[in-house]
Amino acid sequence: MSTVHARHRIVVIGAGYTGMMAAIRTARHTRRHGGQVVLVNPSSRFTERLRMHQTAAGQTLAEYEIPKLLAGSGVEFTQGWVTRIDPEERHVTVRTTAGERVLDYDTLVYAIGSATATGTVPGVADHAHTLNGPEAAARLAARLVEISSRGGTVTVCGNGLTGIEAATEIAEAHPGLRVVLIGRDRPGWMMGDRARAYLGRALERLGIESRVGAEIVKVLPDAVELAGGELVHSDACLWTTGFEASRLAADSGITVDDRNRIVVDATLRSVSHPSIYAVGDSAAIRQDFGVLHGTCQSGIPSAAHAADSIGRRLRGREARTFRFGYIHQPVSLGRKDAVIQFTHADDSPRGAFLRGRSAVLYKKLVSASPPVTYRISRYLTVPAAFLGGRPPRARSRRAMASQPG
């Protein structure tokens, strides 16, 4: 039976980049106006999804515990899996180590992100590795150590930004391995000519074989099968192409799109259930140039906007329209190299880009900023301009129809 509560309870599900921002910023905005924020996540460890390719290459990352990041924010942390949302009764069911728990909410923030889709091509779920979290990345790291001593072959399927970062990291960490990057488009297709050319030279320098125009039709235990029947030998296959959101929202009767993302209005509220906000990869957020593709760059600003909107409504004010424009495409090329393509608001390339050492420093700053931002956000509201992205000043030059990765 639901528990009656006097305060306005905001439940945030998912403690990734967006969920952490939403929870901490909402708590700051609502603590003086009757807000009570509860953050739910299966693990107490904060996962730096931007760095999973480093874990796969065998590097040890700094560990951040969610309760420590939340300390002083007023956010209550509950560790467990959300198994069901009842949007009519406004409660979520959470499976914890102590048993099932039901949490009532007045406002829900849905921030559970997305994962690499493994059901689109036969054999992926059974024979391919992914970067879907620290455990998955660690399993790949162990496999790479196992095969590196005998000069094995790693196939990286998908030559978007995720695939490029993974391939270059692996090639640099394991120079004895043969690394084959497979994809339909030219690596760096979304970048300008000069940045794309620099990226291509980095792949050559690291000895990475690039198979362009290849359609993967099946993943086997020891090979990747291409359209036409060609087999590319593979001792370890990493699948990085295609992302999908959890079915939790769809199964709960909330309106979603064809990728299971919650369809939201201009203020990031669910079009079917206005008491629910969706942010980051979990939301189908439409701008003038199209629906945003899932990145930390757009996710954190969307979470901040949702938090601001919740605070405004709790104070009896109208929420504002969410407006976002991309700034850059930052890509690591191992630990010692990188390329940063600066972009127009619609993610199409500008002329400016960074490369080499300056790009490495830039990428390091971007990757390291979220935990720092969370700590600062406990005590002051970080201006949206510092969180990534910018409001587009005019309609985009073109929409980016495909999602990198």
Side-chain angles (χ1 to χ4, degrees):
M1 179 177 296
S2 299
T3 302
V4 176
H5 48 86
R7 305 185 69 185
H8 187 100
R9 175 179 281 188
I10 303 106
V11 174
V12 181
I13 57 174
Y17 292 113
T18 59
M20 288 291 295
M21 172 55 68
I24 293 172
R25 195 174 177 107
T26 299
R28 176 167 175 78
H29 282 323
T30 64
R31 67 183 59 164
R32 295 181 182 178
H33 304 278
Q36 177 187 16
V37 181
V38 181
L39 176 62
V40 183
N41 196 64
S43 172
S44 64
R45 176 185 174 184
F46 174 68
T47 297
E48 293 188 274
R49 181 172 167 179
L50 290 176
R51 297 178 181 271
M52 287 300 97
H53 59 287
Q54 293 178 241
T55 299
Q59 298 170 35
T60 301
L61 304 182
E63 293 195 9
Y64 298 99
E65 289 296 316
I66 292 172
K68 290 184 179 179
L69 291 174
L70 295 176
S73 68
V75 177
E76 174 189 335
F77 177 63
T78 296
Q79 186 173 345
W81 288 89
V82 175
T83 59
R84 183 172 181 270
I85 301 170
D86 188 329
E88 309 304 330
E89 296 295 327
R90 296 192 185 183
H91 63 239
V92 296
T93 302
V94 184
R95 186 177 70 244
T96 73
T97 55
E100 197 172 82
R101 183 180 177 189
V102 175
L103 297 177
D104 290 344
Y105 67 83
D106 296 294
T107 298
L108 179 71
V109 180
Y110 189 90
I112 60 176
S114 65
T116 303
T118 59
T120 55
V121 173
V124 173
D126 295 325
H127 307 303
H129 293 269
T130 70
L131 299 178
N132 288 341
E135 294 79 11
R139 286 193 293 271
L140 175 58
R143 178 60 177 164
L144 295 179
V145 170
E146 181 183 343
I147 66 175
S148 62
S149 60
R150 51 186 172 87
T153 296
V154 180
T155 52
V156 179
C157 300
N159 57 9
L161 304 187
T162 302
I164 291 167
E165 289 198 323
T168 53
E169 202 77 53
I170 291 169
E172 183 179 86
H174 300 279
L177 288 175
R178 175 191 176 212
V179 180
V180 184
L181 181 62
I182 306 173
R184 295 181 179 179
D185 299 301
R186 183 179 176 184
W189 60 268
M190 70 294 293
M191 296 180 165
D193 292 342
R194 292 188 298 161
R196 185 169 56 250
Y198 184 84
L199 189 155
R201 290 193 295 272
L203 296 180
E204 292 177 2
R205 172 176 56 79
L206 290 166
I208 296 170
E209 300 176 33
S210 181
R211 298 293 302 271
V212 178
E215 180 183 357
I216 302 166
V217 297
K218 193 173 185 179
V219 176
L220 303 168
D222 59 355
V224 171
E225 182 179 343
L226 306 182
E230 180 185 355
L231 297 179
V232 180
H233 176 70
S234 178
D235 295 296
C237 173
L238 172 60
W239 193 262
T240 70
T241 183
F243 289 83
E244 62 184 3
S246 165
R247 284 198 53 83
L248 176 63
D251 292 343
S252 300
I254 302 165
T255 299
V256 300
D257 70 357
D258 59 356
R259 295 189 182 182
N260 294 322
R261 298 175 296 186
I262 293 179
V263 180
V264 296
D265 66 13
T267 67
L268 306 185
R269 292 200 301 181
S270 162
V271 296
S272 61
H273 296 86
S275 62
I276 299 175
Y277 287 79
V279 296
D281 298 1
S282 301
I285 303 173
R286 181 166 293 280
Q287 300 288 283
D288 286 346
F289 51 83
V291 177
L292 299 181
H293 58 75
T295 65
C296 184
Q297 182 182 175
S298 59
I300 289 180
S302 72
H305 184 86
D308 295 350
S309 296
I310 293 169
R312 290 178 67 86
R313 285 197 165 103
L314 209 56
R315 296 193 300 273
R317 302 170 66 183
E318 289 294 320
R320 294 170 177 162
T321 296
F322 177 67
R323 300 179 69 243
F324 173 83
Y326 294 99
I327 294 175
H328 55 209
Q329 298 160 356
V331 189
S332 295
L333 303 171
R335 291 297 86 202
K336 302 175 183 178
D337 199 2
V339 59
I340 312 296
Q341 173 67 66
F342 294 102
T343 70
H344 295 278
D346 66 351
D347 211 22
S348 60
R350 291 179 178 271
F353 76 104
L354 294 178
R355 62 186 180 181
R357 181 63 179 168
S358 58
V360 170
L361 294 175
Y362 185 101
K363 181 66 161 61
K364 184 177 181 180
L365 176 63
V366 170
S367 299
S369 61
V372 175
T373 302
Y374 302 145
R375 294 190 183 99
I376 295 173
S377 296
R378 292 179 298 188
Y379 308 107
L380 58 88
T381 299
V382 180
F386 293 99
L387 296 176
R390 61 172 178 271
R393 294 182 180 179
R395 293 187 65 85
S396 63
R397 301 192 313 167
R398 65 180 175 88
M400 299 297 286
S402 301
Q403 176 178 333

